[in-house]
Amino acid sequence: MYAADENRYDGRMPVRRAGNKGLQLPAVSFGMWHSFGDEANYSDSEKVILKAFDSGIFSFDLAYNYGPGSGAAERLFGQVYQANLKPYRDELVITTKAGYHMWPGPYGAMSSRKTLINALDGSLKRMGLDYVDIFYSHRFDPNTDPEETAVALDDIVRSGKALYVGISNYNNVQTKAILKIFKELHTPFVVNQLSYNMLNREVEDDGVLDTLKENNLGMVAYGPLAEGLLTNRYLGGIPEDFQIHWSSTDVMDQGRAKLTEKLNQLNEIAQNRNQTMAQMSLAWLLKDPVVVSVVTGASKVSHLEDNLQAVQNIRFTADELEKIDSIIKG
């Protein structure tokens, strides 16, 4: 019988607030995008999820399409939750999303009212939950009036099936458009989840970070390690078959050899900070208060423990930040 570590809130994992909203998240959230599909080993998955909670990570980030296999990650998490975490439901922040391919036909993707409401019903059933803490529109739907999406999310909260709403992969223009409607509806909109890492600064150039700050909202950063580029794994070179996430393709623009050179230069800075490059990369994101949490997954407890060390040092000198920027932009 699982019993959570009594010292899980001892300060090892900082808790950050989304602007001036009531939503608070651990600096690191546990993401289930990879490694939790139909072929995942239940015992290994259970160990790393429970280790995360014992370490102060009370936020678990899912989506209908996470797997591989639509619904697979939610089913696995639901099994772990029912077997171990159900007594701690009031402590947990469980989030899911709808918008990328989920089921066949025209309603199996995007952000129409029917898609969002049907998707959440399925997600709740798979996880064995009465509600999620944040329900996200996973992508902007160019063919659906943003008001329809916003009203559907607002109705979902009013139905009791979600406590807060979020958006994901919405650029600055799209964020401003739906934010205006959320304000009119008094919807508890709290965060935009976006791809963000040291190599991929699009959210800075786009202006969406500034919009979130100005409106006392939070940003949750996914892809903080750029599919492993910002770890020690590729310091000797990036293989030709390496696949970058669609949101970070620009980081490969100068070619693999040039990027490898940059990674080694970044690694030197990390070593001087007594951090691994992965730890420095997570810390770099957390230096900005608008980043309420970074989402990172782990298939092994050792990987999780390594990432957890990042929160011990999120301070950077002006010289370090200048060097990082010069390397990235060089």
Side-chain angles (χ1 to χ4, degrees), residues 6-299:
E6 292 181 359
N7 299 314
R8 60 191 177 278
Y9 298 114
D10 66 359
R12 286 173 294 169
M13 176 57 61
V15 176
R16 294 158 73 98
R17 185 178 292 271
N20 64 356
K21 306 299 184 284
L23 179 76
Q24 299 178 72
L25 296 174
V28 175
S29 292
F30 191 88
M32 297 186 65
W33 175 38
H34 285 315
S35 306
F36 297 95
D38 290 323
E39 303 302 316
N41 179 284
Y42 176 82
S43 179
D44 290 345
S45 300
E46 182 182 48
K47 284 177 187 173
V48 73
I49 289 170
L50 298 183
K51 178 63 177 178
F53 186 55
D54 284 338
S55 302
I57 296 178
F58 55 86
S59 174
F60 295 89
D61 182 78
L62 298 112
Y64 193 119
N65 67 309
Y66 287 179
S70 285
E74 290 178 328
R75 276 194 298 274
L76 192 152
F77 177 78
Q79 291 169 0
V80 176
Y81 168 78
Q82 295 296 330
N84 305 279
L85 295 173
K86 195 170 183 178
Y88 306 97
R89 179 64 184 100
D90 290 348
E91 298 177 36
L92 300 174
V93 174
I94 302 171
T95 73
T96 196
K97 316 175 195 73
Y100 286 95
H101 177 75
M102 297 172 284
W103 61 81
Y107 289 105
M110 292 297 178
S111 296
S112 72
R113 179 180 181 85
K114 177 175 172 61
T115 297
L116 294 175
I117 291 174
N118 287 357
L120 179 55
D121 284 345
S123 295
L124 292 174
K125 186 175 181 180
R126 277 187 295 278
M127 292 188 281
L129 300 173
D130 296 322
Y131 70 95
V132 292
D133 296 273
I134 307 174
F135 184 55
Y136 289 89
S137 165
H138 206 170
R139 68 199 297 197
F140 179 78
D141 186 341
N143 299 312
T144 298
D145 187 336
E147 184 171 352
E148 178 178 333
T149 299
V151 170
L153 291 169
D154 187 75
D155 286 346
I156 282 169
V157 171
R158 294 178 190 278
S159 74
K161 294 179 181 179
L163 302 185
Y164 297 99
V165 302
I167 55 176
S168 183
N169 300 305
Y170 278 57
N171 65 26
N172 193 34
V173 171
Q174 295 160 354
T175 299
K176 285 182 173 179
I178 203 163
L179 172 60
K180 182 175 183 294
I181 305 164
F182 283 145
K183 284 183 174 179
E184 292 168 356
L185 294 170
H186 300 289
T187 309
F189 166 50
V190 284
V191 289
N192 190 349
Q193 185 172 141
L194 295 157
S195 175
Y196 189 28
N197 55 63
M198 280 199 296
L199 300 174
N200 174 15
R201 311 283 192 88
E202 187 176 341
V203 295
E204 296 175 10
D205 301 332
D206 174 62
V208 66
L209 274 187
D210 292 331
T211 294
L212 295 173
K213 289 176 186 176
E214 290 162 7
N215 289 277
N216 289 307
L217 297 164
M219 191 264 227
V220 172
Y222 76 80
L225 303 180
E227 281 66 66
L229 286 176
L230 290 168
T231 68
N232 295 338
R233 197 178 311 160
Y234 300 107
L235 295 178
I238 303 166
E240 287 299 318
D241 61 354
F242 175 82
Q243 295 292 317
I244 191 72
H245 189 262
W246 62 263
S247 63
S248 294
T249 52
D250 288 352
V251 308
M252 307 290 282
D253 280 355
Q254 293 179 306
R256 285 169 166 74
K258 180 66 175 176
L259 181 54
T260 300
E261 181 185 325
K262 291 181 178 184
L263 295 178
N264 279 276
Q265 291 172 336
L266 290 171
N267 189 51
E268 285 184 26
I269 298 174
Q271 289 177 328
N272 290 332
R273 288 171 52 83
N274 294 314
Q275 290 181 317
T276 65
M277 184 152 63
Q279 290 166 355
M280 182 179 78
S281 300
L282 298 176
W284 182 88
L285 288 165
L286 292 167
K287 74 186 186 313
D288 189 340
V290 76
V291 179
V292 62
S293 191
V294 295
V295 177
T296 182
S299 56

